Amino acid sequence: MSVLVNKNSKVIVQGFTGSEGSFHAQQMIEYGTNVVGGVTPGKGGSTHLDQPVFNSVEEAVESTGADTSIIFVPPAFAADAIMEAADAGIKVIIAITEGIPVKDMMKAKPYIKEKGATLIGPNCPGVITPGEAKVGIMPGFVFKKGRVGIVSKSGTLTYEAADQVAKAGMGVSTAIGIGGDPIIGTSTKDAVQLLMNDPETDAIVMIGEIGGNYEADAARWIRENGNQKPVVGFIAGQTAPPGRRMGHAGAIVGGADDTAEAKMRIMRENGIHVAESPAEIGAVMAKALGVEVQ
Amino acid sequence: MNIHEYQAKEVLKSYGVKIQEGIVADTPEGALEAAKKLNAETGTSWYVLKAQIHAGGRGKGKVKETDSNGVVLAKSLEDVPEKAKNILGGTLVTIQTGPEGKKVNKILVAQDVYYPGNSEPKEYYLSILLDRATGSNVIMASTEGGVDIEHVAETTPEKIIKEWIDPRIGLQGFQARKVAFKLGLEGNAHKEMVKFITALYRAYDATDSSQFEINPVLKTSDDQILAVDAKVNLDDSALYRQKNLADLRDLEEEDPLEVEAGKSGLNYVKLDGNVGCMVNGAGLAMATMDMIKLVGGEPANFLDVGGGANAQTVEAGFRIILQDPNVKAILINVFGGIVRCDRIANGVVEAYKSIGDINVPIIVRLQGTNAEEGAKIIDESGLKVQSAITLKEAAEKVQAVLAQG
């Protein structure tokens, strides 16, 4: 089981021959991810990192049977690449690219939904199922195999959480970096739902930040569905001033409901174990699961 | 990215949105010239002088030096230079600027649009913005114009009209008509409002904006619909294809340290606290700020050095943080994933040495690949730098430093 990506995922890399694409494709291959090829328009027919390069996602899917794509295409062309993947029948699309115009994503999102694809990101570190597949840019060694699922808007904070979970004697089933943009393909709630339904996941770490209503929606959903598994929550940006964008395009306090304080309150009200400090994520999870910290 | 009212109005006008006409000036003499020209073009004999700063609440705001409001009415040409003088070059303090206020470098000399006629002038509220929950744009309108819309939303939410726009087909005619009817308009005023909303949405879409706020929208006594104020917020990610709009950026409205950081490719936001921080990744950077607060400090900044933390980025980060006189300690927090901690540690040492004497205590927390080797390099450097590996340890060291301070 596990969610989104596993050892059977056949992965193609869009933006395969670019510097980012090459570097991370190499890292993924070394991790053991089943990378079956890549797409760079105009370079079809060549070979890169011992894998075939195709002109289009359609060709790549036809010839490799790929079902998963990771996108490193520059922002101006990334929404187009996402839609191309969905049109070609890719089921899981993971968009790493940061800085895609909002208007482009606004059009791409309903398009891919109609095609039946799941989009993770953009502006995200990707997805990893430890020991099976890494489809992202995260350092694989940080993620020890285990039974805690992670959902996060942030890259390095995900690594931090995975590291603390490991140091507290647990491991990760699947970690999903959903991304820090205002419009993303998979919401916190969608990702939590996947992990709630995953028999290999016993508990969930949910990391959010200021801006938007995703964490509050997820918290309410968790409660409505009977708090089936323990969830530990952390919200970054308690000290962020209103109206200022904090790095991520989506990390901006717009009203009274999207502050860290409000989100933490809503999480508590819905039975989520809230870590006040980012240094406590692992400890709070250990406590929630009754694990003795090593 | 924000732009000034006078720039926003020019943009709107170029898409066929009717505006309160005006001419921008940066001297009292220039303001008089602008008023004369406006008189010739529009026939107005009263002039509204509006301070151009990136903050709301200008009308009620006060210029520190002269006690003038940020928006004033001159009822004759003779009045214009004197009243302009009381605003230009002054420091305008509004509810949005904070007590330090903002320097006014330009004023907009605008026509009077509240002239008497067949009907009473009436103010409305209109905005278009991204609704993150639905992933689409929403038009918000209200008959309660010219006032604080957040207050209206809180006290009388039924007075806010919302119309969501399907991103794939854009604004449809029936939607614009519906909004105008819900605002209680009829006859020619209704027709004008439909045109106004349609043109406004066209402008919003074509400029890759993330927010338009027109407050107030005025129905004049002769049933014209005009934008009297305009707040335009552009999507930073789309500026690469909006060259003309990107050029409207006013660096004087931004914190000089933030501008400097931007030139070094660093994402920096100046805050008021005493502990500077330098972190890789936006989420971890925010979390680090929160942790500083939890141990009794206040974050002096947000600073994301991005994925590749190296000697150059760390040095640039040090130089920015050290220019802030409030900083009493610096916490570097890097989760070394693909970049190894020993290399980052060497980068920190190199950057420190290149700057020379740094008089505030520094805590360097490196976690990830080769974390122990990284800590060793820091500890053996002979510099006034402490190492930490876990976040908890880093927090305790910051706390200890603050207790000594």
Side-chain angles (χ1 to χ4, degrees):
Chain A
M1 275 298 289
S2 68
V3 302
L4 296 166
V5 302
N6 59 39
K7 58 182 182 298
N8 299 318
S9 300
K10 287 185 175 174
V11 182
I12 54 161
V13 180
Q14 285 175 259
F16 192 32
T17 55
S19 63
E20 288 280 300
S22 293
F23 178 76
H24 290 291
Q26 182 66 45
Q27 297 272 324
M28 288 190 282
I29 292 166
E30 280 168 19
Y31 187 82
T33 307
N34 185 18
V35 175
V36 296
V39 176
T40 299
K43 292 196 178 168
S46 59
T47 304
H48 184 64
L49 308 176
D50 295 329
Q51 299 294 330
V53 182
F54 300 93
N55 280 324
S56 69
V57 181
E58 187 180 30
E59 278 175 36
V61 169
E62 269 169 20
S63 105
T64 64
D67 53 16
T68 304
S69 175
I70 180 164
I71 294 177
F72 292 98
V73 171
F77 314 104
D80 179 68
I82 291 169
M83 291 189 281
E84 183 187 356
D87 181 62
I90 294 283
K91 288 297 162 219
V92 176
I93 304 166
I94 295 170
I96 306 299
T97 311
E98 177 173 6
I100 304 178
V102 170
K103 190 162 98 177
D104 295 3
M105 277 313 299
M106 215 181 257
K107 289 177 179 162
K109 194 175 168 176
Y111 179 85
I112 53 173
K113 196 174 172 195
E114 209 173 87
K115 298 279 177 187
T118 297
L119 170 69
I120 305 291
N123 189 12
C124 80
V127 181
I128 183 168
T129 297
E132 296 199 30
K134 168 181 120 147
V135 188
I137 59 172
M138 62 286 276
F141 74 93
V142 178
F143 296 80
K144 302 274 182 293
K145 193 163 183 59
R147 303 184 63 86
V148 175
I150 300 178
V151 176
S152 170
K153 274 185 179 173
S154 147
T156 41
L157 200 46
T158 311
Y159 317 159
E160 181 69 47
D163 185 58
Q164 287 183 29
V165 162
K167 297 228 160 73
M170 299 164 289
V172 171
S173 53
T174 298
I176 309 167
I178 60 171
D181 270 3
I183 297 185
I184 51 179
T186 297
S187 67
T188 311
K189 185 189 87 181
D190 299 336
V192 165
Q193 194 169 354
L194 290 172
L195 294 166
M196 277 291 179
N197 295 331
D198 173 31
E200 292 185 359
T201 298
D202 293 339
I204 299 165
V205 176
M206 179 171 122
I207 296 171
E209 61 193 26
I210 51 167
N213 55 356
Y214 279 171
E215 296 86 355
D217 282 352
R220 293 190 187 102
W221 181 89
I222 289 166
R223 174 111 188 181
E224 280 157 21
N225 282 272
N227 297 76
Q228 297 164 36
K229 296 174 184 177
V231 179
V232 171
F234 175 75
I235 303 288
Q238 298 166 48
T239 47
R244 295 299 311 266
R245 209 170 291 282
M246 307 303 277
H248 288 151
I252 179 168
V253 169
D257 300 332
D258 62 356
T259 62
E261 207 180 8
K263 292 186 186 199
M264 286 161 76
R265 189 193 69 237
I266 293 165
M267 291 201 299
R268 268 190 219 101
E269 285 166 2
N270 288 284
I272 291 166
H273 307 268
V274 174
E276 300 277 341
S277 162
E280 306 290 330
I281 296 168
V284 175
M285 178 54 83
K287 202 174 156 211
L289 281 175
V291 174
E292 193 103 355
V293 179
Q294 292 162 350
Chain B
M1 186 184 107
N2 291 320
I3 58 177
H4 286 293
E5 174 197 1
Y6 76 93
Q7 298 168 322
K9 281 177 165 173
E10 277 167 25
V11 171
L12 294 188
K13 193 180 174 184
S14 71
Y15 288 94
V17 180
K18 279 195 186 165
I19 57 163
Q20 172 199 39
E21 296 289 342
I23 298 166
V24 74
D26 50 16
T27 60
E29 303 74 48
L32 179 61
E33 284 312 304
K36 283 181 183 164
K37 196 160 172 236
L38 207 57
N39 171 269
E41 283 172 5
T42 69
T44 190
S45 53
W46 287 5
Y47 310 91
V48 190
L49 308 182
K50 308 169 92 174
Q52 298 295 292
I53 58 166
H54 286 187
R58 293 169 299 166
K60 289 194 180 112
K62 292 264 184 185
V63 176
K64 265 187 195 171
E65 295 82 357
T66 62
D67 214 36
S68 165
N69 287 110
V71 178
V72 297
L73 183 65
K75 293 191 177 176
S76 70
L77 279 174
E78 294 72 49
D79 268 2
V80 170
E82 186 61 27
K83 292 199 162 172
K85 206 174 138 198
N86 286 337
I87 300 176
L88 277 168
T91 312
L92 181 58
V93 180
T94 80
I95 46 163
Q96 289 185 11
T97 60
E100 69 280 12
K102 277 195 160 175
K103 185 156 182 258
V104 184
N105 294 313
K106 287 190 168 76
I107 54 168
L108 179 62
V109 182
Q111 68 174 141
D112 167 39
V113 284
Y114 291 79
Y115 46 82
N118 293 334
S119 65
E120 280 295 303
K122 170 149 178 55
E123 293 181 331
Y124 297 89
Y125 172 92
L126 253 184
S127 65
I128 309 175
L129 64 152
L130 166 67
D131 176 33
R132 291 170 64 167
T134 58
S136 59
N137 291 314
V138 61
I139 293 180
M140 299 213 318
S142 179
T143 52
E144 308 302 296
V147 296
D148 175 16
I149 199 69
E150 268 142 34
H151 181 71
V152 178
E154 243 169 63
T155 51
T156 49
E158 70 281 359
K159 287 190 174 163
I160 307 241
I161 301 157
K162 289 186 182 178
E163 189 68 27
W164 280 268
I165 315 300
D166 185 322
R168 290 198 286 173
I169 57 171
L171 176 73
Q172 299 300 296
F174 76 90
Q175 295 182 295
R177 293 198 298 275
K178 200 161 78 175
V179 172
F181 277 124
K182 283 187 181 172
L183 288 172
L185 292 163
E186 45 193 41
N188 209 34
H190 180 271
K191 261 189 214 161
E192 288 296 316
M193 182 60 93
V194 171
K195 273 194 219 161
F196 186 89
I197 294 170
T198 308
L200 194 68
Y201 190 82
R202 197 189 308 134
Y204 179 89
D205 187 60
T207 54
D208 270 301
S209 286
S210 51
Q211 190 179 2
F212 269 13
E213 189 177 51
I214 316 297
N215 190 21
V217 173
L218 184 73
K219 183 199 76 67
T220 62
S221 61
D222 52 356
D223 284 352
Q224 293 187 65
I225 304 289
L226 307 174
V228 176
D229 194 1
K231 187 178 150 193
V232 164
N233 197 300
L234 304 162
D235 176 8
D236 293 330
S237 297
L239 289 176
Y240 74 89
R241 62 186 180 200
Q242 300 285 355
K243 277 309 264 166
N244 293 341
L245 297 174
D247 290 344
L248 300 180
R249 184 172 172 197
D250 182 355
L251 292 178
E252 295 212 21
E253 285 288 329
E254 297 174 33
D255 187 286
L257 278 183
E258 294 181 13
V259 174
E260 193 185 325
K263 284 180 191 156
S264 308
L266 301 173
N267 205 329
Y268 171 87
V269 178
K270 168 103 174 58
L271 302 170
D272 298 328
N274 54 359
V275 181
C277 56
M278 201 186 318
V279 188
N280 67 333
L284 190 59
M286 279 186 274
T288 303
M289 286 161 43
D290 297 345
M291 202 182 71
I292 288 168
K293 170 99 176 177
L294 284 169
V295 297
E298 287 286 343
N301 64 277
F302 166 94
L303 175 54
D304 175 10
V305 296
N310 55 39
Q312 286 75 40
T313 52
V314 171
E315 184 179 333
F318 269 140
R319 290 193 187 278
I320 301 284
I321 293 174
L322 289 168
Q323 283 183 51
D324 178 351
N326 298 329
V327 169
K328 300 285 175 278
I330 298 175
L331 169 60
I332 298 180
N333 182 14
V334 174
F335 200 106
I338 283 154
V339 186
R340 298 187 334 248
C341 292
D342 51 332
R343 292 191 53 182
I344 300 165
N346 282 323
V348 171
V349 171
E350 208 180 300
Y352 193 112
K353 286 183 177 160
S354 136
I355 291 178
D357 206 23
I358 297 179
N359 286 319
V360 296
I362 295 172
I363 295 123
V364 181
R365 183 269 179 157
L366 298 173
Q367 175 64 286
T369 317
N370 294 359
E372 278 82 13
E373 287 87 334
K376 202 167 160 229
I377 290 166
I378 297 293
D379 293 337
E380 291 173 356
S381 67
L383 303 173
K384 283 179 289 182
V385 182
Q386 302 181 55
S387 73
I389 293 180
T390 67
L391 208 46
K392 194 157 177 273
E393 199 184 335
E396 285 161 4
K397 289 195 172 166
V398 170
Q399 192 162 27
V401 161
L402 288 171
Q404 285 164 17

